[in-house]
Amino acid sequence: MFVVSNVYVICSFAAIGGGLFGFDISSMSGVLGTQAYLNFFDRPIAFRQGGITCAMPAGSIVGALASSFIADKFSRRVAIQVSALIWIAGSILQASSQEIAQLVIGRIVSGLAIGMASCVVPVYQSEIAPKEIRGRMISLQQWAITWGILIQYFIQYGASFVSGGPENPHQDSAAFRIPWGLQAIPAVILFLGLFFFPRSPRWLGAQDRWEEAIQVLANLHGHGDVHHPKVLAEYQEIEEALSFEREQAVSSFRGLVEPRILRRVMLGVSIQMWAQLCGMNVMMYYIVYIMQSAGIGNPLLAASVQYIINVALTVPAILYLDRWGRRPSLLYGSLGMMVCLLVNGTLLGTYGEANTPQTRTFQNAEITWIIHDKPAVSRAVVAFSYLFVATFAISWGPTSWVYPAEIFPSKVRAKAVSLATASNWVWNCALAFAVPPLLWRINWRMYLLFAVFNLFAFVHMFATASETKGKTLEEMDEVFDAGRPAWRPVVHGSRLDQLEKDIEAGHLKVSAPSAGSHPDLLP
């Protein structure tokens, strides 16, 4: 059977799993301003709307924690396919919703799928991609998320004109059923297409399927030649790392709490936590409310601009993350987002006012604080909202997926990434539930709260996040266990490069495995 061997194609296609996450984010934000949604579900606000929104990340917590068991036992590829099937079921439940309870159940089921995919896709990409472009390949996960957000949002925007448009008080429920049903299509494509993609060579090695592992490596990096120096060098490094882990005779669960690994687990968990507490998903979920607060005439259309920015500004990170590094992205990103949030909070606090019966309309009835008749201030709030999104897209957006997927040893990688990603969903769930009442009660002060979170993230990352660019997955122990402070540069170069040179020069001989054998290393 034909199997795809191009790294870019493999990692891009797998990233459709990230696209499902994006579809779900804007599947809610795009309907909040439609009369069909508001009337059919009895105008949910505050905690009711928070409960509907947080149902998806609540399911994602469970999906993230369960993902490692499927990924370790049945392979990364199968785990992604399982997530696609679950997503299809969740989409059907949402599209056929007759009441809030069914909608919540559908979003929980979809959340299970998203939790699994968001864990396993970056692991699969990291184990497929060579070190030189690993950051680029995993960043495709974030780019797919942004595309999913954008595509679903414009589907929502188009569907919002069903039955007289979003302002028609008698708008038909097709305005939200059509987009919620269409979001199943990418999952069908993902499930079927993955049959033509390889399993992770590192997973195959962990199962002692060495012949298959080296053939996958040869197809990926050596044009099918199992004797290519780069293939033999990477194969040898993977085998040595797996052999060392087996000699330790420590289970993957016990390995998670070893001091040297636990520090990395906490770092991965923290990065995913700060990726939520920076405030980005608040923008994604509730941008319509924010635009309404700014007094924008067509909040659905104005909100769509930020989704375009999100897609466009992720591209520089994809192209250059492996050049400028993970650590600068995290540090400068936190500072940039903090400034944007401080400016918006100050503008809203200084020029805004309570939404009274004199200023309230059917469009802004769900918010308590607005900017009224101050178009320059409204434009400034929108501009800094867009700048905030641009800053996240070029920094924390891709890096928060890349970093946790590459810092763990093979034995614990799937489980450690599942814990880190579960952290993302715990905070995603908490914010999705808490932000509507926060907007209702503390309004503009919420921006200042998230600005403080970004300051804390900057300090934390400065003290703990070491640079990982240019290192293989098997070299992460050297990066994190050498006792070097995080702010000190790591040694340039990779052991793999030297190993490849030695093999190519004939100073070192590595024989490709035959059935049931391990590679032999000869001086």
Side-chain angles (χ1 to χ4, degrees):
M1 185 177 69
F2 170 76
V3 178
V4 177
S5 59
N6 184 283
V7 172
Y8 283 89
V9 174
I10 295 169
C11 293
S12 298
F13 190 84
I16 293 175
L20 302 182
F21 177 19
F23 266 76
D24 199 272
I25 287 176
S26 56
S27 73
M28 185 52 62
S29 63
V31 301
L32 289 177
T34 65
Q35 293 301 305
Y37 175 81
L38 294 172
N39 291 331
F40 192 88
F41 295 108
D42 196 24
R43 306 188 78 86
I45 59 173
F47 286 109
R48 286 184 73 193
Q49 182 55 54
I52 294 171
T53 306
C54 81
M56 187 273 288
S60 298
I61 297 170
V62 179
L65 293 174
S67 65
S68 64
F69 298 98
I70 301 175
D72 282 341
K73 185 173 180 60
F74 299 104
S75 82
R76 289 41 167 147
R77 190 185 74 179
V78 168
I80 299 172
Q81 288 179 300
V82 170
S83 72
L85 291 176
I86 297 173
W87 173 264
I88 294 168
S91 298
I92 293 171
L93 285 170
Q94 291 181 71
S96 61
S97 292
Q98 299 301 312
E99 57 185 2
I100 287 180
Q102 183 180 345
L103 175 59
V104 168
I105 291 172
R107 286 182 60 77
I108 290 174
V109 173
S110 292
L112 289 171
I114 295 302
M116 292 179 61
S118 62
C119 286
V120 182
V121 168
V123 170
Y124 180 70
Q125 291 168 322
S126 71
E127 294 181 345
I128 288 287
K131 62 180 176 58
E132 294 84 1
I133 58 170
R134 188 176 61 243
R136 179 180 300 175
M137 293 297 96
I138 305 176
S139 295
L140 292 172
Q141 157 92 344
Q142 176 63 21
W143 203 36
I145 292 173
T146 66
W147 272 109
I149 294 170
L150 179 67
I151 292 169
Q152 175 70 314
Y153 189 86
F154 276 111
I155 292 174
Q156 293 275 13
Y157 183 71
S160 72
F161 291 98
V162 167
S163 302
E167 299 179 9
N168 179 11
H170 304 293
Q171 188 181 32
D172 189 79
S173 64
F176 60 80
R177 296 191 192 280
I178 291 172
W180 289 351
L182 289 176
Q183 66 185 1
I185 294 175
V188 174
I189 296 172
L190 180 65
F191 173 77
L192 296 176
L194 280 174
F195 284 110
F196 301 97
F197 286 78
R199 288 183 169 87
S200 160
R202 287 170 171 84
W203 180 83
L204 289 169
Q207 311 303 310
D208 283 329
R209 293 161 64 172
W210 298 104
E211 272 194 301
E212 293 176 69
I214 198 169
Q215 189 58 60
V216 171
L217 287 172
N219 292 338
L220 293 174
H221 311 310
H223 305 289
D225 180 9
V226 296
H227 301 292
H228 191 286
K230 184 173 183 178
V231 173
L232 293 174
E234 186 165 4
Y235 187 87
Q236 182 62 32
E237 190 171 55
I238 293 171
E239 197 276 338
E240 286 181 348
L242 289 173
S243 295
F244 176 78
E245 290 173 9
R246 285 168 176 162
E247 288 172 5
Q248 302 304 302
V250 176
S251 70
S252 57
F253 287 104
R254 285 183 57 195
L256 289 172
V257 296
E258 286 184 7
R260 71 185 187 90
I261 301 300
L262 182 61
R263 184 166 67 91
R264 280 181 255 177
V265 171
M266 296 308 298
L267 178 57
V269 166
S270 298
I271 285 176
Q272 291 283 18
M273 176 188 74
W274 293 127
Q276 290 299 316
L277 293 180
C278 74
M280 179 58 177
N281 271 357
V282 174
M283 292 286 188
M284 293 292 105
Y285 282 126
Y286 299 114
I287 186 63
V288 172
Y289 290 161
I290 292 167
M291 294 301 175
Q292 289 171 346
S293 297
I296 299 301
N298 190 334
L300 284 175
L301 184 58
S304 68
V305 176
Q306 79 156 1
Y307 299 126
I308 297 173
I309 292 171
N310 199 18
V311 170
L313 269 296
T314 303
V315 174
I318 293 173
L319 296 176
Y320 299 112
L321 183 60
D322 288 305
R323 183 178 301 177
W324 65 48
R326 284 60 157 158
R327 183 176 167 83
S329 298
L330 296 172
L331 296 179
Y332 293 127
S334 293
L335 289 178
M337 289 186 290
M338 180 183 70
V339 170
C340 293
L341 290 166
L342 286 174
V343 171
N344 264 1
T346 302
L347 289 173
L348 283 165
T350 304
Y351 297 101
E353 59 187 77
N355 193 11
T356 63
Q358 288 72 34
T359 58
R360 187 172 295 119
T361 67
F362 76 93
Q363 276 191 325
N364 67 17
E366 285 75 34
I367 57 176
T368 59
W369 193 266
I370 63 169
I371 295 174
H372 184 61
D373 283 341
K374 298 182 181 70
V377 178
S378 296
R379 286 193 292 269
V381 169
V382 172
F384 275 94
S385 296
Y386 291 161
L387 187 58
F388 174 92
V389 172
T391 304
F392 177 88
I394 205 169
S395 59
W396 275 80
T399 310
S400 62
W401 295 110
V402 171
Y403 204 89
E406 65 185 4
I407 63 176
F408 299 108
S410 178
K411 192 179 187 73
V412 302
R413 184 173 297 125
K415 290 181 174 62
V417 172
S418 75
L419 289 175
T421 310
S423 167
N424 179 299
W425 293 113
V426 167
W427 289 100
N428 188 312
C429 180
L431 292 176
F433 184 72
V435 165
L438 280 176
L439 281 170
W440 187 268
R441 294 178 181 178
I442 70 172
N443 38 70
W444 60 270
R445 298 174 185 85
M446 187 185 70
Y447 287 92
L448 305 183
L449 177 63
F450 285 105
V452 172
F453 287 149
N454 277 286
L455 177 60
F456 289 162
F458 172 83
V459 174
H460 188 192
M461 293 301 100
F462 180 84
T464 61
S466 299
E467 184 55 69
T468 58
K469 71 171 183 177
K471 300 295 183 181
T472 66
L473 299 180
E474 288 70 33
E475 290 177 305
M476 292 301 162
D477 286 350
E478 298 175 12
V479 173
F480 287 96
D481 299 342
R484 182 190 304 107
W487 55 87
R488 290 186 59 186
V490 298
V491 177
H492 290 291
S494 168
R495 184 177 63 241
L496 181 66
D497 296 330
Q498 186 59 50
L499 185 58
E500 181 183 348
K501 290 177 182 177
D502 289 344
I503 293 173
E504 192 169 15
H507 302 316
L508 198 66
K509 294 190 181 298
V510 177
S511 60
S514 56
S517 72
H518 289 238
D520 298 316
L521 184 64
L522 302 175

